[in-house]
């Protein structure tokens, strides 16, 4: 019985030390200077009118740099936020801010199961065996509802702006400060603007 307890305690210590090493390495990666930061390209973005309301369909192109890949494989989740703003131009006054919405996808890695998880916060979670498969949910997210039909004026033309970025504000507080000062974590698209006529 004592031999079994000793083996169990040794295995427990090994697991804890492995996790602590992973967190320490992730912390050090945040402090490591990086050569460049990659951007996000918006391949396509448009609005679709449905019975439920207006949905955003978008496709993004990007790759994680080495620092971000190392961070996620050592247990640090990454958050990708897509933002949309809709304004109705008015010739006689400032533009009317009609809609401001966002959707965040959390990307994480479970060291014990060796599975990647992509979760649209509050709705959908999927598991993947590879990082590239998990990133596909972020690069090509499912259409999501951004406006009720009743919130838009039928026949009015709206200026729509969309962007996607790595959201460091969602990280735990100790990591936020270092991520803000590290170019490795500045992964973002420019705003893509287009017009949409409400039905």
């Amino acid at each position: 019985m004592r031999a079994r307890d000793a083996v169990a305690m040794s295995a427990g210590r090994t697991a804890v030390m492995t996790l602590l090493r992973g967190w320490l390495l992730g912390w050090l990666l945040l402090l490591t200077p990086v050569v460049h930061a990659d951007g996000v390209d918006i391949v396509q973005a448009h609005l679709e009118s449905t019975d439920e309301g207006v949905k955003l369909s978008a496709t993004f192109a990007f790759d994680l740099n080495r620092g971000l890949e190392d961070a996620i494989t050592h247990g640090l989740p990454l958050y990708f936020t897509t933002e949309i703003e809709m304004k109705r131009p008015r010739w006689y006054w400032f533009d009317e801010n009609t809609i401001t919405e966002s959707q965040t996808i959390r990307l994480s890695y479970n060291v014990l199961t060796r599975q990647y998880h992509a979760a649209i916060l509050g709705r959908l979670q999927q598991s993947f065996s590879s990082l590239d498969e998990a990133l596909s949910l972020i690069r090509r997210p499912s259409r999501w509802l951004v406006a009720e039909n009743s919130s838009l004026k039928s026949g009015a033309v709206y200026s729509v702006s969309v962007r996607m970025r790595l959201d460091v504000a969602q990280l735990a507080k100790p990591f936020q400060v270092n991520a803000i000062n590290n170019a490795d974590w500045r992964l973002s698209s420019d705003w893509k603007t287009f017009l949409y006529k409400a039905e």
Side-chain angles (χ1 to χ4, degrees):
M1 196 69 166
R2 289 179 184 172
R4 281 187 201 163
D5 290 343
V7 169
M9 287 179 68
S10 176
R13 280 194 209 112
T14 302
V16 169
M17 290 304 293
T18 301
L19 288 172
L20 286 175
R21 280 191 208 107
W23 277 104
L24 180 59
L25 182 55
W27 178 258
L28 292 173
L29 289 169
L30 285 175
L31 298 174
T32 304
V34 90
V35 177
H36 63 88
D38 297 319
V40 176
D41 293 322
I42 300 178
V43 177
Q44 67 85 22
H46 66 273
L47 296 180
E48 299 174 3
S49 180
T50 69
D51 292 338
E52 299 172 67
V54 178
K55 293 186 175 183
L56 173 66
S57 173
T59 306
F60 307 100
F62 68 93
D63 289 307
L64 296 185
N65 53 46
R66 183 61 184 268
L68 293 177
E69 280 190 24
D70 288 344
I72 193 160
T73 55
H74 288 90
L76 189 65
L78 304 179
Y79 298 85
F80 296 87
T81 297
T82 302
E83 299 169 284
I84 180 169
E85 294 179 355
M86 295 181 68
K87 298 179 180 180
R88 187 162 63 95
R90 295 184 290 193
W91 65 269
Y92 59 90
W93 197 243
F94 297 110
D95 292 350
E96 176 187 25
N97 289 329
T98 307
I99 304 291
T100 302
E101 290 292 333
S102 66
Q103 174 179 270
T104 299
I105 300 178
R106 180 182 189 268
L107 180 64
S108 60
Y109 178 68
N110 188 313
V111 180
L112 299 177
T113 63
R114 296 184 180 178
Q115 289 272 307
Y116 291 90
H117 303 283
I120 299 174
L121 299 187
R123 290 187 299 170
L124 170 75
Q125 177 167 331
Q126 289 180 265
S127 297
F128 303 91
S129 57
S130 73
L131 178 58
D132 199 53
E133 289 174 359
L135 287 172
S136 68
L137 183 65
I138 301 165
R139 292 179 180 131
R140 292 177 294 281
S142 57
R143 298 176 312 153
W144 53 285
L145 188 67
V146 296
E148 302 290 338
N149 286 322
S150 59
S151 63
L152 301 177
K153 186 176 179 180
S154 180
V157 175
Y158 292 84
S159 174
V160 183
S161 297
V162 176
R163 78 167 174 174
M164 197 265 276
R165 62 189 170 84
L166 181 64
D167 194 350
V168 297
Q170 302 264 6
L171 296 172
K173 293 290 183 188
F175 294 98
Q176 284 183 26
V177 176
N178 294 299
I180 288 169
N181 295 318
N182 189 331
D184 208 4
W185 290 76
R186 294 183 200 132
L187 184 66
S188 177
S189 73
D190 293 326
W191 286 97
K192 180 180 179 69
T193 301
F194 57 93
L195 297 178
Y196 171 75
K197 185 174 181 178
E199 296 179 7

